Amino acid sequence: MTYDLLRATGAQASAFHARATTATICTHLVHVPARIARSARRITLHLPHNWPWQHAWTHLFSTAHGPAD
């Protein structure tokens, strides 16, 4: 089941990650070097500057999260 979820995640993130191995997907998209901050009941994820996989991760997040109501 984990393999299938990682493959689907890679396919949604980018064309490069659609063909990548599961170890690469884990390294690039799952093990995110980020900092979580909370303020006023809102959670903020601070991603690093100039992170090479930022666009793939934000595309994956916006696809999975869907439009805001």
Side-chain angles (χ1 to χ4, degrees):
M1 182 182 238
T2 304
Y3 175 81
D4 294 335
L5 288 172
L6 282 174
R7 299 308 303 165
T9 300
Q12 289 294 322
S14 67
F16 169 76
H17 290 102
R19 296 184 313 270
T21 63
T22 55
T24 302
I25 295 170
C26 281
T27 303
H28 292 185
L29 301 176
V30 176
H31 301 201
V32 179
R35 183 174 57 89
I36 299 173
R38 282 193 323 189
S39 175
R41 298 183 188 179
R42 177 165 275 193
I43 296 175
T44 304
L45 185 67
H46 295 281
L47 296 172
H49 295 288
N50 300 324
W51 185 42
W53 304 285
Q54 177 182 2
H55 297 294
W57 195 89
T58 53
H59 180 265
L60 174 65
F61 181 80
S62 64
T63 302
H65 189 263
D69 290 307

